[in-house]
Amino acid sequence: YNEEENYPKAIRYLNNALSYDKNNKELQSDILPIIGSVYTKKGAYKTATKYLKKGLTLSRNTNNTNGIITALSHLGKINLKYKYLKSAEKQFLEVNTLAKQSNDTITLISSYENLIFLDSIRGNFERAFINQNTYHALLNALTTKHNDSKAIATKKTLIVDKVTTEDSIALASNNRTLLAKINQNTSVVSKNKFDKFRKTLYISLAGFSILAICLVIAYFKRNKGLKYTRHLELKNKNIELQKKAILEENKLFLDINNTKDKLFSIVSHDLKDSLSSTKGLIDLLKEGSITKEEFNALIPELSETANNASSLLFNLLNWSKSQMKSLESKPITFDIKEVFEEKTKLVEQKLIAKNIMLINQSNSNIVFADRSMIEIVVQNIITNAIKFCDSLDKITINNLVKKDRLVISIADTGIGISKENIAKLFGNDKTFTTTGTHNEKGTGLGLSICKDLIELNNGKIWVESVLGVGSTFYIELPRHEENHSFSKPATAAASAEILQPSYIEHSPLHKPQ
């Protein structure tokens, strides 16, 4: 039935034979591989694999070489079908070894046929050629040994049936198929074609080697070029850094030179005028040009001139230090009200001379700053307020605590400051000064120094003013030591509203004629 390809009946009779003696392992090891081979021919590879594996296990346990060969041969063909080439190769090689050990020439020829087909699929033509030669040698030897071709055909039928686990395939059909495959593989892996393939392979390898050498040379050249480029980039970067450093040094030298020129200009102008005035009065007294009584009458003016010169020198010293970045703050805790009381006493004569009222509404509040610097700032702002106030004007000092900060205000009802001039008050690039209500002169450095000194103490200073109404200067200082940066109040107007004296109206005041 198997030979006639009536596989259902073949399987039924084989299963009947299998159930004849279920405890006979040797019988099962013979029949199970045959059933697997029938299912293989039928194309039911999954079922075939199950019977073949079970038959292979029993055949190994019972040392049934025929069963092992049949199972491995058909398992190899199934793996070849599914392109599991490694598993197929392993199984065909084991069949080849068993055929050699048992001197089974027909099985050996069949195993070489399978190996040739496998190598052709893989493209391993060199090994296919070697196996082809062995295959032909075995086939020729078998032909020489048996002169009678019919006897050979009969013998081959018996042995092929044995290789396929007695699957009863006709010898003639099998022989024709075998010869067709041999001719096909022979045409694929013939010696001439193999020589041509080997020649092509060598040429390809030579071309690949040349290409690899070229790539290596190009790689090293590129690396060398990259190193040189990086070297140039680094060199250019260093040059740029040096250029930047030189420009910064030049700017520093220009700033220092401008500071020096500004200092000499102020000294030569303002300080010379003060000293010349004082020297002139002393010379008049020395020459007898004025009487002692007249000189005594001029003493207040002489004292004022000396105070101005002293104040100018003091401001110049602090300003030059701040410009040279050598001024340092030495903060302590002190009461700001004490500073206001001390500084208002120093300007009493000026207040009386100009008929100005100073109202000190300050409260006792602690600040953390350099006291001497704050004293300079307060004195400058009060002096400026007097300078730009007229008779019957008022100056009001006030302060308010806002969390960890103290906001100070010094307000006056003087002539006020225009919007365009407010931006010039704290500038460091050049001095800005105007004459007072009685033609008082200044250096233009006072507020610039005030800004530097306040910032050195982690504070802020700003001004609000209305022309013809008056001005209010605000100073914000820390109340205790802080390690973080300080921020300006939410709005200057908020602080101004809190500290604005009640008598200042936001409309032009009527000035006495």
Side-chain angles (χ1 to χ4, degrees), residues 297-364:
L298 294 172
I299 285 176
E301 183 180 346
L302 184 63
S303 175
E304 179 67 20
T305 303
N307 284 337
N308 287 338
S310 175
S311 177
L312 175 62
L313 281 172
F314 191 65
N315 283 343
L316 285 172
L317 177 63
N318 285 296
W319 175 77
S320 61
K321 281 185 176 181
S322 68
Q323 293 298 303
M324 301 301 180
K325 312 299 181 187
S326 61
L327 194 62
E328 293 183 1
S329 172
K330 297 179 181 178
I332 58 170
T333 301
F334 63 92
D335 190 346
I336 193 66
K337 187 174 182 179
E338 295 176 0
V339 174
F340 290 136
E341 289 174 350
E342 291 175 7
K343 296 306 171 185
T344 52
K345 288 179 183 178
L346 294 177
V347 296
E348 284 180 355
Q349 292 300 322
K350 290 184 179 181
L351 293 168
I352 293 170
K354 295 190 75 171
N355 192 22
I356 298 170
M357 181 183 296
L358 189 146
I359 303 171
N360 185 2
Q361 295 181 344
S362 62
N363 301 312
S364 292

Side-chain angles (χ1 to χ4, degrees), residues 53 59 64 114 119 134 176 196 217 236 256 307 309 388 406 428-429 450 480-481 500 504:
K53 284 185 176 180
S59 296
N64 186 348
N114 290 330
D119 291 334
T134 307
R176 283 194 301 270
K196 185 177 179 181
I217 292 171
N236 290 335
I256 293 172
N307 284 337
F388 295 105
L406 181 70
N428 288 323
D429 55 339
C450 290
H480 50 77
E481 186 174 3
Q500 192 74 32
I504 294 181

Side-chain angles (χ1 to χ4, degrees), residues 43-203:
Y45 299 119
K46 188 174 181 181
T47 306
T49 302
K50 182 178 70 173
Y51 279 100
L52 290 171
K53 284 185 176 180
K54 189 173 180 181
L56 179 62
T57 303
L58 284 172
S59 296
R60 290 188 189 281
N61 291 337
T62 59
N63 294 321
N64 186 348
T65 304
N66 291 337
I68 295 172
I69 289 173
T70 302
L72 287 174
S73 296
H74 287 87
L75 283 171
K77 290 176 182 179
I78 292 171
N79 285 324
L80 202 60
K81 178 76 176 178
Y82 288 112
K83 304 298 183 184
Y84 300 143
L85 302 183
K86 287 187 177 180
S87 298
E89 181 182 27
K90 184 178 178 181
Q91 288 154 351
F92 290 153
L93 287 174
E94 188 174 352
V95 170
N96 187 274
T97 302
L98 291 172
K100 288 177 181 178
Q101 290 174 354
S102 60
N103 294 319
D104 189 342
T105 306
I106 300 300
T107 301
L108 192 58
I109 291 172
S110 180
S111 70
Y112 276 116
E113 177 191 4
N114 290 330
L115 288 171
I116 291 167
F117 189 63
L118 175 66
D119 291 334
S120 298
I121 292 174
R122 278 184 164 179
N124 191 349
F125 299 113
E126 187 172 359
R127 197 171 74 171
F129 179 73
I130 294 170
N131 288 334
Q132 184 80 21
N133 288 338
T134 307
Y135 173 84
H136 282 297
L138 287 170
L139 199 60
N140 291 334
L142 188 62
T143 304
T144 303
K145 185 176 179 181
H146 301 279
N147 294 323
D148 188 356
S149 58
K150 188 175 181 180
I152 294 172
T154 304
K155 180 66 176 178
K156 285 174 68 177
T157 301
L158 293 174
I159 298 175
V160 169
D161 286 345
K162 180 181 179 183
V163 170
T164 58
T165 322
E166 298 175 347
D167 56 1
S168 304
I169 297 176
L171 175 61
S173 175
N174 184 64
N175 195 37
R176 283 194 301 270
T177 304
L178 185 61
L179 290 174
K181 289 183 179 180
I182 291 170
N183 292 332
Q184 182 183 1
N185 290 327
T186 302
S187 63
V188 174
V189 294
S190 63
K191 191 174 185 305
N192 291 334
K193 288 189 177 182
F194 178 73
D195 290 341
K196 185 177 179 181
F197 167 76
R198 184 164 54 184
K199 185 178 179 180
T200 305
L201 178 63
Y202 289 156
I203 292 171

Side-chain angles (χ1 to χ4, degrees), residues 7 17 22 32 36 70 82 139 141 147 152 171 213 253 267 306 330 343 346 370 404 452 454 486 502-503:
Y7 301 126
K22 293 183 179 180
L32 285 172
T70 302
Y82 288 112
L139 199 60
N147 294 323
I152 294 172
L171 175 61
I213 291 169
F253 290 147
V267 170
K330 297 179 181 178
K343 296 306 171 185
L346 294 177
D370 188 310
D404 56 348
D452 291 339
I454 291 297
F486 300 102
S502 60
Y503 58 82

Side-chain angles (χ1 to χ4, degrees), residues 239-253:
I239 291 170
E240 288 295 327
L241 289 173
Q242 290 173 2
K243 183 179 177 181
K244 188 177 179 181
I246 291 170
L247 290 174
E248 288 178 354
E249 287 178 0
N250 287 341
K251 185 178 181 300
L252 179 62
F253 290 147

